[in-house]
Coordinates of all heavy atoms in Angstrom, one line a residue:
E1381 N 102.6 101.7 103.6 CA 102.4 101.0 102.4 C 103.7 100.6 101.9 O 104.7 101.2 102.0 CB 101.7 102.0 101.4 CG 101.5 101.3 100.0 CD 100.8 102.3 99.1 OE1 99.8 102.9 99.5 OE2 101.3 102.5 98.0
S1382 N 103.7 99.4 101.2 CA 105.0 98.9 100.7 C 105.5 99.7 99.5 O 104.8 100.2 98.7 CB 104.7 97.4 100.2 OG 105.8 97.0 99.4
I1383 N 106.8 99.8 99.4 CA 107.5 100.5 98.2 C 107.1 99.6 97.0 O 107.0 100.2 95.9 CB 109.0 100.6 98.5 CG1 109.3 101.5 99.7 CG2 109.7 101.0 97.2 CD1 109.0 103.0 99.5
F1384 N 107.0 98.4 97.2 CA 106.7 97.5 96.1 C 105.3 97.4 95.7 O 104.9 96.6 94.8 CB 107.4 96.1 96.3 CG 108.9 96.1 96.2 CD1 109.7 96.4 97.3 CD2 109.5 95.8 95.0 CE1 111.0 96.4 97.2 CE2 110.9 95.8 94.9 CZ 111.6 96.1 96.0
H1385 N 104.4 98.0 96.5 CA 103.0 98.1 96.2 C 102.3 96.7 96.3 O 101.2 96.6 95.8 CB 102.7 98.7 94.8 CG 103.2 100.1 94.8 ND1 102.3 101.2 95.0 CD2 104.4 100.7 94.5 CE1 102.9 102.3 94.9 NE2 104.2 102.1 94.6
S1386 N 103.0 95.7 96.9 CA 102.4 94.4 97.1 C 101.7 93.9 95.9 O 100.6 93.3 96.0 CB 101.4 94.4 98.3 OG 102.1 94.8 99.5
R1387 N 102.3 94.0 94.8 CA 101.6 93.5 93.5 C 101.5 92.0 93.5 O 100.6 91.4 93.0 CB 102.4 94.0 92.3 CG 102.3 95.5 92.1 CD 103.1 96.0 90.9 NE 104.4 95.8 91.1 CZ 105.4 95.8 90.1 NH1 105.1 96.1 88.9 NH2 106.6 95.5 90.4
D1388 N 102.6 91.4 94.0 CA 102.6 89.9 94.0 C 103.5 89.4 95.1 O 104.7 89.8 95.1 CB 103.2 89.5 92.6 CG 103.1 88.0 92.4 OD1 103.2 87.2 93.3 OD2 103.1 87.6 91.2
T1389 N 103.0 88.6 96.0 CA 103.7 88.2 97.1 C 104.6 87.0 96.9 O 105.4 86.6 97.7 CB 102.8 87.9 98.3 OG1 101.9 86.9 98.0 CG2 102.0 89.2 98.8
I1390 N 104.5 86.4 95.7 CA 105.2 85.2 95.4 C 106.6 85.6 94.7 O 107.6 85.0 94.9 CB 104.4 84.3 94.5 CG1 103.2 83.8 95.3 CG2 105.2 83.1 94.0 CD1 102.4 82.7 94.9
K1391 N 106.5 86.6 93.8 CA 107.7 87.0 93.1 C 108.8 87.7 94.0 O 108.3 88.5 94.9 CB 107.4 87.9 91.9 CG 106.5 87.3 90.9 CD 106.3 88.3 89.8 CE 105.3 87.7 88.7 NZ 105.0 88.8 87.7
P1392 N 110.0 87.5 93.8 CA 111.0 88.2 94.6 C 111.0 89.7 94.2 O 110.7 90.1 93.1 CB 112.3 87.5 94.3 CG 112.1 86.7 93.1 CD 110.6 86.5 93.0
N1393 N 111.3 90.5 95.2 CA 111.4 92.0 95.0 C 112.8 92.3 94.6 O 113.8 92.1 95.3 CB 111.1 92.7 96.3 CG 109.6 92.5 96.8 OD1 108.7 92.3 95.9 ND2 109.4 92.6 98.0
L1394 N 112.9 93.0 93.4 CA 114.1 93.5 92.9 C 114.1 95.0 92.9 O 113.3 95.6 92.3 CB 114.3 93.0 91.4 CG 115.5 93.6 90.6 CD1 116.8 93.2 91.3 CD2 115.4 93.0 89.2
L1395 N 115.1 95.6 93.6 CA 115.3 97.0 93.7 C 116.5 97.4 92.8 O 117.5 96.9 93.0 CB 115.5 97.4 95.2 CG 115.8 98.9 95.4 CD1 114.6 99.7 95.1 CD2 116.2 99.0 96.9
I1396 N 116.2 98.4 92.0 CA 117.3 99.0 91.2 C 117.4 100.4 91.6 O 116.5 101.2 91.4 CB 116.9 98.9 89.7 CG1 116.6 97.4 89.3 CG2 118.0 99.4 88.8 CD1 116.1 97.2 88.0
V1397 N 118.6 100.7 92.0 CA 118.9 102.2 92.5 C 120.2 102.6 91.8 O 121.2 102.2 92.0 CB 119.1 102.2 94.0 CG1 119.4 103.6 94.5 CG2 117.9 101.6 94.8
C1398 N 119.9 103.6 90.9 CA 121.1 104.2 90.2 C 120.7 105.7 90.0 O 119.6 106.0 89.7 CB 121.3 103.6 88.8 SG 121.7 101.9 88.8
G1399 N 121.7 106.5 90.0 CA 121.3 107.9 89.9 C 122.3 108.9 89.4 O 122.0 110.1 89.3
S1400 N 123.5 108.4 88.9 CA 124.4 109.4 88.3 C 125.2 108.7 87.2 O 124.7 107.9 86.5 CB 125.3 110.0 89.5 OG 126.2 109.0 89.9
L1401 N 126.5 109.0 87.1 CA 127.3 108.6 86.1 C 127.3 107.0 86.1 O 127.4 106.3 87.1 CB 128.7 109.1 86.2 CG 128.9 110.5 86.2 CD1 130.4 110.9 86.6 CD2 128.5 111.1 84.8
G1402 N 127.2 106.4 84.9 CA 127.2 105.0 84.8 C 125.8 104.4 84.9 O 125.6 103.2 84.6
S1403 N 124.8 105.1 85.4 CA 123.5 104.5 85.6 C 122.8 104.2 84.3 O 122.1 103.2 84.2 CB 122.6 105.4 86.4 OG 122.5 106.7 85.8
T1404 N 123.1 104.9 83.2 CA 122.5 104.6 81.9 C 122.8 103.2 81.5 O 121.9 102.5 81.0 CB 123.0 105.6 80.9 OG1 122.6 106.9 81.3 CG2 122.4 105.4 79.5
R1405 N 124.0 102.7 81.7 CA 124.4 101.4 81.3 C 123.7 100.4 82.0 O 123.2 99.3 81.5 CB 125.9 101.2 81.5 CG 126.7 102.1 80.5 CD 128.2 101.9 80.7 NE 128.6 100.7 79.9 CZ 129.8 100.3 80.0 NH1 130.8 100.9 80.7 NH2 130.2 99.3 79.3
V1406 N 123.4 100.6 83.4 CA 122.6 99.6 84.2 C 121.2 99.6 83.7 O 120.6 98.6 83.5 CB 122.7 100.0 85.7 CG1 121.8 99.1 86.5 CG2 124.1 100.0 86.2
F1407 N 120.6 100.8 83.5 CA 119.2 100.8 83.1 C 119.0 100.2 81.7 O 118.1 99.5 81.5 CB 118.6 102.3 83.1 CG 118.5 102.9 84.4 CD1 118.9 104.2 84.6 CD2 118.1 102.2 85.5 CE1 118.8 104.8 85.9 CE2 117.9 102.7 86.7 CZ 118.3 104.1 86.9
D1408 N 120.0 100.5 80.8 CA 119.9 99.9 79.4 C 120.0 98.3 79.5 O 119.3 97.6 78.8 CB 120.9 100.4 78.5 CG 120.7 101.8 78.0 OD1 119.5 102.2 77.9 OD2 121.6 102.5 77.6
A1409 N 120.9 97.8 80.4 CA 121.0 96.4 80.5 C 119.8 95.8 81.1 O 119.3 94.7 80.6 CB 122.2 96.1 81.5
V1410 N 119.1 96.4 82.1 CA 117.9 95.8 82.7 C 116.8 95.9 81.6 O 116.1 94.9 81.4 CB 117.5 96.6 83.9 CG1 116.1 96.2 84.3 CG2 118.5 96.4 85.0
L1411 N 116.6 97.0 80.9 CA 115.6 97.1 79.8 C 115.8 96.1 78.7 O 114.8 95.8 78.1 CB 115.5 98.6 79.3 CG 115.0 99.5 80.4 CD1 115.2 100.9 79.9 CD2 113.4 99.3 80.6
S1412 N 117.0 95.7 78.4 CA 117.2 94.8 77.3 C 117.0 93.3 77.7 O 117.1 92.5 76.8 CB 118.7 95.0 76.8 OG 119.6 94.5 77.7
C1413 N 116.7 93.1 79.0 CA 116.4 91.7 79.4 C 115.2 91.2 78.8 O 114.2 92.0 78.6 CB 116.3 91.6 80.9 SG 117.9 91.8 81.8
D1414 N 115.2 89.9 78.5 CA 114.0 89.3 78.0 C 112.8 89.5 78.9 O 112.9 89.4 80.2 CB 114.2 87.8 77.8 CG 113.1 87.1 77.1 OD1 113.1 87.1 75.9 OD2 112.4 86.5 77.8
A1415 N 111.6 89.7 78.4 CA 110.4 90.0 79.2 C 110.1 88.8 80.1 O 109.6 89.0 81.2 CB 109.2 90.2 78.3
D1416 N 110.4 87.6 79.7 CA 110.2 86.5 80.6 C 111.0 86.5 81.8 O 110.6 86.1 82.9 CB 110.5 85.1 79.9 CG 109.4 84.8 78.8 OD1 108.3 85.4 78.9 OD2 109.7 84.0 77.9
V1417 N 112.2 87.1 81.7 CA 113.2 87.2 82.8 C 112.6 88.2 83.8 O 112.4 88.0 85.0 CB 114.6 87.5 82.4 CG1 115.5 87.9 83.6 CG2 115.2 86.4 81.6
L1418 N 112.2 89.4 83.2 CA 111.8 90.6 84.1 C 110.5 90.2 84.7 O 110.2 90.6 85.8 CB 111.6 91.8 83.2 CG 112.9 92.4 82.6 CD1 112.6 93.6 81.8 CD2 113.9 92.7 83.7
S1419 N 109.7 89.4 84.1 CA 108.3 89.0 84.7 C 108.5 88.1 86.0 O 107.5 87.9 86.6 CB 107.5 88.3 83.6 OG 108.0 87.1 83.3
K1420 N 109.6 87.6 86.2 CA 109.8 86.8 87.4 C 110.0 87.6 88.7 O 110.1 87.0 89.7 CB 111.0 85.8 87.2 CG 110.8 84.9 86.0 CD 112.0 84.0 85.9 CE 112.0 83.0 84.7 NZ 110.7 82.4 84.4
F1421 N 110.0 88.9 88.5 CA 110.3 89.8 89.6 C 109.3 90.9 89.8 O 108.7 91.3 88.8 CB 111.7 90.5 89.5 CG 112.8 89.6 89.4 CD1 113.3 89.1 88.2 CD2 113.5 89.1 90.6 CE1 114.4 88.2 88.1 CE2 114.5 88.2 90.5 CZ 115.0 87.8 89.3
Q1422 N 109.1 91.4 91.0 CA 108.4 92.7 91.2 C 109.6 93.7 91.2 O 110.6 93.6 92.1 CB 107.8 92.7 92.6 CG 106.6 91.9 92.6 CD 105.9 92.1 94.0 OE1 104.9 92.8 94.0 NE2 106.3 91.6 95.1
I1423 N 109.5 94.6 90.3 CA 110.7 95.6 90.2 C 110.3 97.0 90.6 O 109.3 97.5 90.2 CB 111.2 95.5 88.8 CG1 111.7 94.1 88.3 CG2 112.3 96.5 88.5 CD1 112.1 94.0 86.9
V1424 N 111.2 97.6 91.4 CA 111.1 99.0 91.7 C 112.4 99.7 91.3 O 113.5 99.1 91.6 CB 110.9 99.3 93.2 CG1 111.1 100.7 93.7 CG2 109.5 98.9 93.6
V1425 N 112.2 100.8 90.5 CA 113.4 101.5 89.9 C 113.4 102.9 90.6 O 112.4 103.6 90.6 CB 113.3 101.6 88.4 CG1 114.5 102.3 87.9 CG2 113.1 100.2 87.8
T1426 N 114.6 103.3 91.0 CA 114.9 104.7 91.5 C 115.8 105.3 90.5 O 117.0 104.8 90.4 CB 115.4 104.7 92.9 OG1 114.5 104.0 93.8 CG2 115.6 106.1 93.4
L1427 N 115.3 106.3 89.8 CA 116.1 106.9 88.7 C 117.1 107.9 89.1 O 118.2 108.0 88.4 CB 115.1 107.5 87.7 CG 114.1 106.6 87.0 CD1 113.1 107.4 86.1 CD2 114.8 105.5 86.1
G1428 N 116.8 108.7 90.0 CA 117.6 109.9 90.2 C 117.2 111.0 89.3 O 116.4 110.8 88.3
T1429 N 117.6 112.2 89.5 CA 117.2 113.4 88.8 C 117.7 113.4 87.3 O 117.2 114.1 86.5 CB 117.5 114.7 89.5 OG1 119.0 114.6 89.7 CG2 116.8 114.8 90.8
L1430 N 118.8 112.7 87.0 CA 119.4 112.8 85.7 C 118.8 111.8 84.7 O 119.3 111.8 83.5 CB 121.0 112.6 85.8 CG 121.7 113.6 86.7 CD1 123.2 113.3 86.8 CD2 121.5 115.0 86.1
N1431 N 118.0 110.9 85.2 CA 117.6 109.8 84.3 C 116.1 109.7 84.1 O 115.5 108.6 83.8 CB 118.1 108.5 84.9 CG 119.6 108.4 85.1 OD1 120.3 108.5 84.1 ND2 120.0 108.3 86.3
T1432 N 115.5 110.8 84.1 CA 114.0 110.8 84.0 C 113.5 110.3 82.6 O 112.3 109.8 82.5 CB 113.3 112.1 84.3 OG1 114.0 113.1 83.4 CG2 113.6 112.6 85.7
S1433 N 114.4 110.3 81.6 CA 114.0 109.8 80.2 C 113.8 108.3 80.3 O 113.1 107.8 79.4 CB 115.1 110.1 79.3 OG 116.3 109.4 79.7
F1434 N 114.2 107.6 81.4 CA 114.0 106.2 81.5 C 112.6 105.8 82.1 O 112.1 104.8 82.0 CB 115.0 105.5 82.3 CG 116.3 105.3 81.6 CD1 117.3 106.3 81.7 CD2 116.5 104.2 80.8 CE1 118.6 106.1 81.1 CE2 117.7 104.1 80.1 CZ 118.7 105.0 80.2
R1435 N 111.9 106.8 82.7 CA 110.7 106.6 83.4 C 109.7 105.9 82.4 O 109.1 104.8 82.8 CB 110.1 107.9 83.9 CG 108.7 107.7 84.4 CD 108.1 109.0 85.0 NE 108.7 109.4 86.2 CZ 108.4 108.7 87.5 NH1 107.5 107.8 87.5 NH2 109.0 109.1 88.5
S1436 N 109.4 106.4 81.3 CA 108.4 105.8 80.4 C 108.7 104.4 80.0 O 107.9 103.6 79.8 CB 108.1 106.7 79.2 OG 109.2 106.8 78.4
K1437 N 110.1 104.1 79.8 CA 110.5 102.9 79.3 C 110.2 101.8 80.4 O 109.8 100.7 80.1 CB 112.0 102.9 79.0 CG 112.3 103.8 77.8 CD 113.8 103.8 77.6 CE 114.1 104.9 76.5 NZ 115.5 105.1 76.3
F1438 N 110.5 102.1 81.7 CA 110.1 101.2 82.8 C 108.7 101.1 83.0 O 108.2 100.0 83.2 CB 110.9 101.6 84.0 CG 112.4 101.2 84.0 CD1 113.4 102.1 83.9 CD2 112.7 99.9 84.1 CE1 114.7 101.7 83.9 CE2 114.1 99.5 84.2 CZ 115.1 100.4 84.0
E1439 N 108.0 102.2 83.0 CA 106.6 102.2 83.2 C 105.8 101.3 82.1 O 104.9 100.7 82.4 CB 105.9 103.6 83.3 CG 106.3 104.2 84.6 CD 105.8 105.6 84.7 OE1 105.6 106.3 83.7 OE2 105.8 106.2 85.8
E1440 N 106.3 101.4 80.9 CA 105.7 100.6 79.7 C 105.8 99.1 80.1 O 105.0 98.3 79.7 CB 106.4 100.8 78.4 CG 106.0 102.2 77.8 CD 106.9 102.5 76.6 OE1 107.7 101.6 76.1 OE2 106.8 103.7 76.2
K1441 N 106.8 98.7 80.9 CA 107.0 97.4 81.3 C 106.3 97.0 82.5 O 106.4 95.9 83.0 CB 108.5 97.0 81.4 CG 109.3 97.1 80.1 CD 110.7 96.7 80.2 CE 111.5 96.7 79.0 NZ 111.1 95.6 78.1
G1442 N 105.6 98.0 83.1 CA 104.7 97.8 84.3 C 105.5 97.9 85.6 O 105.0 97.5 86.6
E1443 N 106.7 98.5 85.5 CA 107.5 98.6 86.8 C 107.1 99.8 87.6 O 106.6 100.8 87.0 CB 109.0 98.6 86.4 CG 109.4 97.6 85.4 CD 109.0 96.1 85.8 OE1 108.5 95.9 86.9 OE2 109.2 95.3 84.9
V1444 N 107.3 99.7 88.9 CA 107.1 100.9 89.7 C 108.4 101.8 89.7 O 109.5 101.3 89.9 CB 106.9 100.5 91.2 CG1 106.8 101.7 92.1 CG2 105.6 99.6 91.3
V1445 N 108.2 103.1 89.4 CA 109.3 104.0 89.2 C 109.2 105.2 90.2 O 108.2 105.8 90.2 CB 109.4 104.4 87.7 CG1 110.6 105.4 87.5 CG2 109.4 103.3 86.8
Y1446 N 110.4 105.5 90.8 CA 110.5 106.7 91.6 C 111.6 107.5 91.1 O 112.7 106.9 90.6 CB 110.8 106.3 93.0 CG 109.7 105.6 93.7 CD1 109.7 104.2 93.8 CD2 108.7 106.3 94.4 CE1 108.7 103.5 94.5 CE2 107.7 105.6 95.1 CZ 107.7 104.2 95.1 OH 106.8 103.5 95.7
D1447 N 111.6 108.8 91.1 CA 112.7 109.7 90.7 C 113.7 109.7 92.0 O 114.9 109.7 91.7 CB 112.2 111.1 90.5 CG 111.4 111.2 89.2 OD1 111.7 110.4 88.2 OD2 110.6 112.1 89.1
F1448 N 113.1 109.6 93.1 CA 113.9 109.7 94.4 C 113.2 109.1 95.5 O 111.9 109.1 95.6 CB 114.1 111.2 94.7 CG 114.9 111.5 95.9 CD1 116.2 111.5 96.0 CD2 114.2 111.9 97.1 CE1 116.9 111.7 97.2 CE2 114.9 112.2 98.3 CZ 116.3 112.0 98.2
L1449 N 113.9 108.5 96.4 CA 113.3 108.0 97.7 C 114.0 108.7 98.8 O 115.2 108.9 98.8 CB 113.5 106.5 97.8 CG 112.8 105.6 96.9 CD1 113.3 104.1 97.0 CD2 111.3 105.6 97.0
S1450 N 113.2 109.1 99.7 CA 113.7 109.7 101.0 C 114.6 108.7 101.8 O 114.3 107.5 101.5 CB 112.5 110.3 101.8 OG 111.8 109.2 102.4
P1451 N 115.3 109.1 102.7 CA 116.1 108.1 103.5 C 115.2 107.0 104.2 O 115.5 105.9 104.1 CB 116.8 109.0 104.5 CG 117.2 110.3 103.7 CD 115.9 110.5 102.9
P1452 N 114.1 107.5 104.8 CA 113.2 106.4 105.4 C 112.6 105.5 104.3 O 112.5 104.3 104.6 CB 112.1 107.2 106.1 CG 112.7 108.6 106.3 CD 113.6 108.8 105.2
Q1453 N 112.3 106.0 103.2 CA 111.7 105.2 102.1 C 112.8 104.3 101.6 O 112.6 103.1 101.3 CB 111.2 106.0 100.9 CG 109.9 106.8 101.3 CD 109.6 107.7 100.1 OE1 110.4 108.5 99.6 NE2 108.3 107.8 99.8
M1454 N 114.1 104.7 101.5 CA 115.2 103.9 101.0 C 115.4 102.7 102.0 O 115.7 101.6 101.5 CB 116.4 104.7 100.8 CG 117.5 104.0 100.2 SD 117.2 103.4 98.5 CE 117.3 104.8 97.6
M1455 N 115.4 103.1 103.2 CA 115.5 102.0 104.3 C 114.4 100.9 104.1 O 114.7 99.7 104.1 CB 115.5 102.6 105.7 CG 116.8 103.3 106.0 SD 116.8 104.2 107.6 CE 115.8 103.2 108.7
Q1456 N 113.2 101.4 103.9 CA 112.1 100.5 103.7 C 112.3 99.7 102.4 O 112.1 98.4 102.4 CB 110.8 101.3 103.6 CG 109.6 100.3 103.4 CD 108.3 101.1 103.3 OE1 108.3 102.3 103.4 NE2 107.2 100.4 103.0
A1457 N 112.8 100.4 101.3 CA 113.0 99.6 100.1 C 114.0 98.5 100.2 O 113.8 97.4 99.7 CB 113.4 100.6 99.0
Y1458 N 115.1 98.8 100.9 CA 116.2 97.8 101.1 C 115.6 96.7 102.0 O 115.9 95.5 101.8 CB 117.4 98.4 101.7 CG 118.3 99.1 100.8 CD1 118.6 100.4 100.8 CD2 118.9 98.4 99.7 CE1 119.4 101.0 99.9 CE2 119.7 98.9 98.8 CZ 120.0 100.3 98.9 OH 120.8 100.9 98.0
R1459 N 114.8 97.0 103.0 CA 114.3 96.0 103.9 C 113.4 95.1 103.1 O 113.3 93.8 103.4 CB 113.5 96.6 105.0 CG 113.9 96.3 106.4 CD 113.0 96.9 107.5 NE 112.1 97.9 107.1 CZ 112.2 99.2 107.3 NH1 113.3 99.7 107.8 NH2 111.3 100.0 107.0
E1460 N 112.6 95.6 102.2 CA 111.5 94.8 101.4 C 112.2 94.0 100.2 O 111.6 93.2 99.7 CB 110.4 95.6 101.0 CG 109.6 96.2 102.1 CD 108.6 97.2 101.6 OE1 108.3 97.4 100.3 OE2 107.8 97.8 102.4
S1461 N 113.4 94.4 99.9 CA 114.1 93.8 98.7 C 114.6 92.4 98.9 O 115.2 92.2 100.0 CB 115.3 94.7 98.2 OG 114.8 96.0 97.9
D1462 N 114.5 91.6 98.0 CA 115.2 90.3 98.0 C 116.5 90.4 97.3 O 117.5 89.8 97.6 CB 114.3 89.2 97.3 CG 113.0 89.0 98.1 OD1 113.1 88.6 99.3 OD2 112.0 89.2 97.5
I1463 N 116.5 91.3 96.3 CA 117.8 91.5 95.4 C 117.9 93.0 95.2 O 116.8 93.6 94.9 CB 117.7 90.8 94.1 CG1 117.5 89.3 94.3 CG2 118.9 91.0 93.2 CD1 117.1 88.5 93.1
A1464 N 119.1 93.5 95.2 CA 119.2 95.0 94.9 C 120.4 95.1 93.8 O 121.4 94.5 94.0 CB 119.5 95.8 96.1
I1465 N 120.1 95.8 92.8 CA 121.1 96.3 91.8 C 121.4 97.8 92.1 O 120.4 98.6 92.0 CB 120.7 96.0 90.4 CG1 120.4 94.5 90.2 CG2 121.7 96.6 89.4 CD1 119.8 94.2 88.8
T1466 N 122.6 98.1 92.4 CA 122.8 99.5 92.8 C 124.1 100.0 92.0 O 125.0 99.2 91.7 CB 123.1 99.7 94.3 OG1 124.3 99.0 94.6 CG2 121.9 99.2 95.1
R1467 N 124.1 101.3 91.9 CA 125.3 102.0 91.2 C 125.4 103.3 91.9 O 124.6 104.2 91.7 CB 125.0 102.2 89.7 CG 126.0 103.1 89.0 CD 127.4 102.6 89.0 NE 128.3 103.4 88.2 CZ 128.9 104.4 88.6 NH1 128.7 105.1 89.7 NH2 129.8 105.0 87.8
A1468 N 126.5 103.4 92.7 CA 126.8 104.7 93.4 C 127.7 105.5 92.6 O 128.6 105.0 91.8 CB 127.4 104.4 94.8
G1469 N 127.6 106.8 92.6 CA 128.4 107.7 91.8 C 129.8 107.8 92.4 O 130.8 107.3 92.1

């Protein structure tokens, strides 16, 4: 099964992976984007264990949210992504 849940095959897949220091700024920036901009993408967000407070905010926008992806899932997510926004600690 696709990490992106095959919601729409026409929209590009946007993967957002952040999990530690600095990730709050990335998540806030994405959430502050205009709804018209966000609607142009299928978005999957990986929060990490320190950012679970963002789960409901992304889910309210209809995005797929994971706390963590295993290494095989992460490989699949990168393979399926057209664009990735990442922040490593």
